[in-house]
Amino acid sequence: MTVLSGPAIERYPRPRGRSTPLRSRVAVFLKYLSLVLAGAVVLVPLAAVLLTSLRTGEEMAGGGALAAPDNWLNFHNYAVAFTDGHMLRALWNTTFILFFSVLGTVLIGSMTAYAIDRFHFRFKKSVMTAFLIASLVPGVTTQVATYQIVNNLGVMDTRWAPVLLYMGTDIVSIYIFLQFIRSVPISLDEAARIDGANSFTIYWRIVMPLLKPAVATVVIIKGVAIYNDFYIPFLYMPDDNLGTISTSLFRFKGPYGAHWEVISAGAALVIIPSLVVFLALQRFIYNGFAAGATK
Amino acid sequence: MSAPRTVSRTPPARSGPPDAAGSPAKEPPRRPGPRRRRGAWWFTPWLYLLAPLVLLVVFTWLPVVNMFGYSFTDWDGISPTRNWVGLENYTDLFTRPQLFQVFWVSLFYLGASVVQICAALYFATVLSFNTRLRNLFKGLLFFPYLINGVAVGFVFLYFFQPGGTLDTVLGWFGAGPHLWLGDPHLVNTSLAGVSVWRFMGVNMVLFIGAIQSVPPQLYEAAALDGASRWQQFRHVIAPSIRPIISLSVILAISGSLSVFEIPFIMTGGSNNSETFVIQTIKLAFNFNKTGLASAAAMVLLAIVLVVTWFQRLLFPDERVEQS
């Protein structure tokens, strides 16, 4: 569950016994070589885009992909991408969807987990099975039929379509909450009940505050997934005014087809918020993903 | 579907006097749970489950059932009528080579996920032990996972351009340029490479988490016995993190079958790079062949379920220990 970060493993001495110093020095060299190469593989494509985004249209004509821009502070392309790409509107749409989906996911996930873990009732097994089997159905496979349902609900081409879909298909968060809620002692519930609290007060006042780590995990995993999702907004919000970060960026492909400096600036604009959030919340993000994977 | 009907049907049945007196009497003496006295009516749990179950049924169960129904018809997705065609859509799928060819494309992504998991295991092991700048490398290798899919698509569209970044870099080492996305024999390898670039880090972070929760005494014992790095990996690390490895394998398999974003954004599925999901979307939304698209999606769903079932058959108890 919780990732033990820290030097627990480092303390133990390397097995020196057999390998000759030369061999181990070669091994160390190869290890760092592999790390540096992998780092370069990650960085070079991103660096190329960053460098391109700072070049002018004329500079694009000559020079290789990794040539440095003449002026390192040429933000003209960013301005074009931001205004012509309607990035502000995209940011607003994404924020709207992100806020309501994450809020809904947290409430729904925690309520489901609370009901399943803290109550005994008929059909509990069936409810669990219904969620479990649903978790095996990959969302992408059922879009053909989901599309018809969204259409019939009358939310097609509104911001509520993705919100409903993100809330409705999130089985992972239910499992995360279930896992955390099991560690909250039942004696707390009982004490509150003796003081006259009803089940909703217990859920909201006692259990929820203790589930903060689970909420953080769900917010991180869900937030990353929604910010980066392309499929659902592309399919359910074709209207130009309802572009999200992903779909607005995708629309660069038409008008700027050959203007790589503008497309690069658009891509960089979308990547930078992820980078900032990642640097600020690194540790929580790692823990979130490690916790999310064990379902 | 059974679940929501229960919700809507049961309250009126006994909703007359749902007072506190009724419930404790009929409660069997199970665990001395919280369900006592006020606020513990028999339908209380259903109040919490109402919204989740409605969403579950409307957006997961209903689509699966509907899709199963559509797959036996010739529906175009719009017209009010649809005709029953039996198994025609399914026979179409398996007999027309251009429809079936998407399965070969998945093999490229399947191969890529093998590379991805092996690389993730290697880097996770290396970064769990004493290595300088551990956190820097960990962050660097993980970061691609956090990048927006469309941005990744554009980054690599530029990267693979004729005379673009990759050709430039390879040029330094004397290798000639290639048509990375234009060559039908090369396009899927290039695209699968992008998915390794994007998803290797997240596997690595999961493996690092698992490796760090292995009891340190095991490493101590192995080190005392003079085990080499490879022996430590083979006999201590790999067995301890087997559950997470097998989870990654299953996710990789279902992931390689349902690849959509990157090829759709980068090539639009042209040039031999069409994947199963791109084909399904095109059939359903561009060619209005909802019936055929549903059959295709059912096949994909069946494959994913069979693979999952098979994996549970092989590694039955792995989820249990995690919960």
Side-chain angles (χ1 to χ4, degrees):
Chain A
M1 201 57 262
T2 15
V3 177
L4 298 175
S5 52
I9 292 167
E10 291 170 70
R11 248 187 299 136
Y12 300 97
R14 305 224 201 106
R16 290 257 162 83
R18 297 194 201 157
S19 49
T20 60
L22 179 70
R23 242 182 89 186
S24 78
R25 241 181 281 158
V26 170
V28 167
F29 173 75
L30 288 178
K31 178 176 87 172
Y32 284 103
L33 184 69
S34 69
L35 283 170
V36 168
L37 278 180
V41 167
V42 169
L43 281 182
V44 167
L46 295 175
V49 163
L50 190 69
L51 292 176
T52 305
S53 73
L54 297 170
R55 291 155 79 182
T56 61
E58 296 87 70
E59 280 176 76
M60 287 304 291
L66 282 169
D70 285 344
N71 175 10
W72 283 90
L73 295 175
N74 168 28
F75 292 117
H76 173 73
N77 299 321
Y78 285 84
V80 173
F82 192 80
T83 47
D84 290 7
H86 302 287
M87 281 317 219
L88 206 59
R89 193 174 68 194
L91 195 64
W92 158 244
N93 286 330
T94 301
T95 311
F96 180 94
I97 292 168
L98 198 67
F99 177 79
F100 285 103
S101 314
V102 169
L103 185 75
T105 306
V106 166
L107 286 178
I108 281 173
S110 58
M111 286 202 307
T112 314
Y114 178 69
I116 288 175
D117 190 59
R118 296 299 214 244
F119 289 94
H120 291 288
F121 53 93
R122 292 179 71 192
F123 306 117
K124 181 158 137 175
K125 274 256 160 73
S126 328
V127 171
M128 285 293 285
T129 317
F131 279 112
L132 189 77
I133 295 178
S135 75
L136 303 178
V137 178
V140 287
T141 59
T142 52
Q143 286 321 313
V144 181
T146 308
Y147 188 87
Q148 304 296 336
I149 288 174
V150 170
N151 222 348
N152 290 337
L153 287 175
V155 289
M156 193 53 152
D157 223 351
T158 69
R159 283 181 291 240
W160 295 107
V163 170
L164 278 174
L165 286 166
Y166 290 135
M167 281 198 312
T169 49
D170 198 35
I171 315 287
V172 175
S173 75
I174 293 178
Y175 283 106
I176 292 173
F177 277 116
L178 208 53
Q179 210 170 42
F180 274 85
I181 213 167
R182 284 192 181 127
S183 63
V184 176
I186 291 181
S187 53
L188 284 175
D189 295 37
E190 287 166 348
R193 221 172 263 282
I194 288 166
D195 289 345
N198 62 22
S199 79
F200 184 75
T201 318
I202 293 172
Y203 160 73
W204 192 244
R205 287 279 175 79
I206 313 271
V207 175
M208 267 311 253
L210 291 171
L211 286 183
K212 270 184 195 153
V215 174
T217 300
V218 169
V219 169
I220 286 171
I221 295 182
K222 198 72 188 170
V224 168
I226 294 174
Y227 181 82
N228 291 336
D229 188 38
F230 168 69
Y231 194 68
I232 286 180
F234 176 72
L235 219 52
Y236 296 98
M237 298 197 307
D239 191 331
D240 260 354
N241 291 317
L242 292 176
T244 63
I245 296 280
S246 294
T247 48
S248 298
L249 184 61
F250 183 67
R251 288 186 190 127
F252 276 47
K253 214 179 168 181
Y256 300 109
H259 290 277
W260 273 107
E261 69 280 12
V262 179
I263 294 186
S264 299
L269 269 181
V270 171
I271 296 173
I272 287 163
S274 309
L275 182 62
V276 171
V277 170
F278 173 59
L279 292 178
L281 302 176
Q282 240 187 72
R283 195 179 175 155
F284 299 101
I285 289 179
Y286 291 139
N287 290 349
F289 279 95
T294 56
K295 287 198 199 173
Chain B
M1 310 283 317
S2 70
R5 216 193 302 135
T6 329
V7 178
S8 57
R9 191 190 46 188
T10 35
R14 285 191 74 248
S15 69
D19 60 350
S23 55
K26 70 182 284 283
E27 184 174 34
R30 266 174 277 183
R31 79 171 173 182
R35 198 193 152 192
R36 272 183 300 169
R37 296 169 58 86
R38 293 193 307 123
W41 299 315
W42 62 270
F43 63 79
T44 312
W46 296 108
L47 294 178
Y48 292 96
L49 289 173
L50 188 66
L53 283 177
V54 167
L55 287 169
L56 178 74
V57 168
V58 172
F59 293 110
T60 305
W61 283 103
L62 209 54
V64 173
V65 173
N66 283 351
M67 209 169 71
F68 187 65
Y70 298 157
S71 73
F72 298 106
T73 68
D74 64 353
W75 196 32
D76 61 3
I78 303 157
S79 77
T81 57
R82 56 188 96 143
N83 303 313
W84 178 267
V85 296
L87 288 173
E88 198 178 286
N89 289 325
Y90 290 93
T91 44
D92 253 18
L93 273 179
F94 288 106
T95 48
R96 279 164 59 186
Q98 72 268 37
L99 290 180
F100 195 74
Q101 105 103 18
V102 290
F103 282 107
W104 300 116
V105 174
S106 329
L107 291 182
F108 282 90
Y109 292 93
L110 211 57
S113 35
V114 173
V115 174
Q116 179 182 320
I117 288 177
C118 291
L121 274 173
Y122 168 73
F123 286 114
T125 311
V126 163
L127 294 177
S128 292
F129 291 92
N130 218 348
T131 296
R132 272 165 213 274
L133 301 174
R134 222 155 55 120
N135 288 331
L136 175 76
F137 283 118
K138 186 174 156 188
L140 208 54
L141 296 185
F142 176 70
F143 182 62
Y145 181 75
L146 299 178
I147 300 178
N148 188 291
V150 183
V152 172
F154 285 170
V155 165
F156 277 93
L157 212 46
Y158 188 61
F159 185 75
F160 286 130
Q161 286 263 308
T165 318
L166 184 56
D167 285 341
T168 310
V169 171
L170 287 179
W172 296 342
F173 300 99
H178 291 274
L179 274 177
W180 298 102
L181 299 173
D183 181 345
H185 300 291
L186 206 55
V187 64
N188 286 314
T189 313
S190 311
L191 293 174
V194 177
S195 88
V196 175
W197 184 87
R198 194 175 174 201
F199 293 115
M200 194 281 283
V202 71
N203 280 338
M204 180 194 76
V205 163
L206 300 183
F207 294 152
I208 289 178
I211 291 175
Q212 293 192 332
S213 58
V214 173
Q217 297 91 312
L218 288 180
Y219 297 110
E220 203 170 301
L224 282 176
D225 289 346
S228 71
R229 261 306 140 69
W230 168 247
Q231 285 166 327
Q232 280 191 40
F233 175 79
R234 173 84 181 67
H235 298 290
V236 180
I237 298 179
S240 316
I241 64 170
R242 218 185 60 166
I244 196 84
I245 297 178
S246 93
L247 180 73
S248 307
V249 168
I250 180 86
L251 289 179
I253 293 173
S254 69
S256 8
L257 286 166
S258 42
V259 174
F260 168 73
E261 262 188 15
I262 293 298
F264 183 81
I265 292 161
M266 290 176 64
T267 65
S270 64
N271 235 343
N272 237 352
S273 66
E274 192 162 84
T275 67
F276 204 101
V277 178
I278 296 181
Q279 185 183 62
T280 309
I281 298 255
K282 279 189 178 167
L283 284 177
F285 304 117
N286 297 357
F287 304 120
N288 290 337
K289 292 191 172 171
T290 304
L292 188 59
S294 298
M298 283 314 289
V299 171
L300 174 59
L301 183 58
I303 295 175
V304 170
L305 290 181
V306 165
V307 168
T308 314
W309 172 77
F310 201 63
Q311 187 259 358
R312 293 207 169 184
L313 207 68
L314 288 176
F315 308 100
D317 54 357
E318 287 175 353
R319 294 289 175 87
V320 181
E321 74 184 68
Q322 286 165 352
S323 57

